[in-house]
C-alpha cells in the first residue's frame, strides 16, 4: 500500500520519541524504512521525521517536555511496543539486527496463532515483528 492509499484509510502512525539533539536516524533507513520528510532544528538536529516501512507510516519526534512525553532512555523503560505485521518475520527480524537492533526474543510460532519476534532499536523502542499463521488454540 502506498502512502497515498494509506491516507484514505483509518490507520495508526505511531510517534516514537528520540532524544533532543539527535542528528542520525540511519538505523531506520538501514532497517528498510523510506524517509518521507525530515525537519531539522537550527543546529541540524532532528525535530520530526516521517518514515514508512511497506506502507506502515511512523514518525520520529524529538522529546517535547511540554507534554511530558519521553523516549525510552529518559523514561528508564519501555514506553510502547510497536507491532509490525509483515509477510516474513525472520527476514525482517534479521534485517533489524544487521541494521543495529538488539534481539529480545527470537522468531517463535505461538499457540495463539502468531509467529513473532521482538527487538529493541538503538533509541530503546521495542518492536514486535509478527504474522498471523493460524486461528490459534483456545486458551
Amino acid at each position: 500500500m502506498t502512502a497515498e492509499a494509506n491516507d484514505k484509510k483509518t490507520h495508526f502512525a505511531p510517534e516514537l520519541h528520540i532524544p533532543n539533539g539527535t542528528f542520525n536516524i540511519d538505523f531506520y533507513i538501514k532497517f528498510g524504512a523510506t524517509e518521507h520528510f525530515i525537519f531539522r532544528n537550527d543546529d541540524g538536529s532532528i525535530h520530526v521525521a516521517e518514515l514508512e516501512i511497506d506502507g506502515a507510516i511512523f514518525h520520529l519526534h524529538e522529546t517535547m517536555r511540554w507534554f511530558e512525553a519521553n523516549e525510552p532512555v529518559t523514561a528508564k523503560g519501555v514506553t510502547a511496543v510497536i507491532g509490525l505485521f509483515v509477510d516474513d518475520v525472520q527476514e525482517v527480524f534479521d534485517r533489524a539486527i544487521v541494521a543495529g537492533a538488539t534481539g529480545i526474543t527470537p522468531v517463535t510460532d505461538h499457540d495463539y496463532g502468531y509467529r513473532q519476534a521482538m527487538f529493541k532499536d538503538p533509541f530503546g523502542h521495542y518492536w514486535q515483528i509478527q504474522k498471523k499463521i493460524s486461528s490459534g488454540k483456545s486458551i
Side-chain angles (χ1 to χ4, degrees), residues 11-18 25 28 36-37 39 46-52 56-62 82 125 127:
H11 59 282
F12 284 101
E15 182 176 282
L16 308 180
H17 287 243
I18 56 177
I25 56 171
Y28 298 102
H36 287 185
F37 64 77
F39 292 107
I46 296 165
H47 175 66
V48 65
E50 182 176 274
L51 302 161
E52 175 184 343
I57 294 172
F58 64 103
H59 297 93
L60 301 177
H61 200 296
E62 70 180 330
I82 309 305
H125 300 287
W127 293 69

Side-chain angles (χ1 to χ4, degrees), residues 91-107:
E91 187 274 328
V92 173
F93 180 78
D94 292 345
R95 192 170 71 212
I97 300 304
V98 168
T102 301
I104 302 298
T105 60
V107 175

Side-chain angles (χ1 to χ4, degrees), residues 6-26:
N6 207 7
D7 287 340
K8 296 179 179 152
K9 298 182 87 171
T10 300
H11 59 282
F12 284 101
E15 182 176 282
L16 308 180
H17 287 243
I18 56 177
N20 292 31
T22 297
F23 292 88
N24 183 329
I25 56 171
D26 286 352

Side-chain angles (χ1 to χ4, degrees), residues 86-130:
V86 300
D87 286 332
D88 187 336
V89 174
Q90 188 69 60
E91 187 274 328
V92 173
F93 180 78
D94 292 345
R95 192 170 71 212
I97 300 304
V98 168
T102 301
I104 302 298
T105 60
V107 175
T108 305
D109 291 348
H110 296 281
D111 289 343
Y112 48 84
Y114 282 77
R115 175 172 297 129
Q116 296 173 314
M118 186 175 287
F119 68 82
K120 180 173 68 169
D121 75 25
F123 293 100
H125 300 287
Y126 280 63
W127 293 69
Q128 182 157 273
I129 307 304
Q130 53 199 342

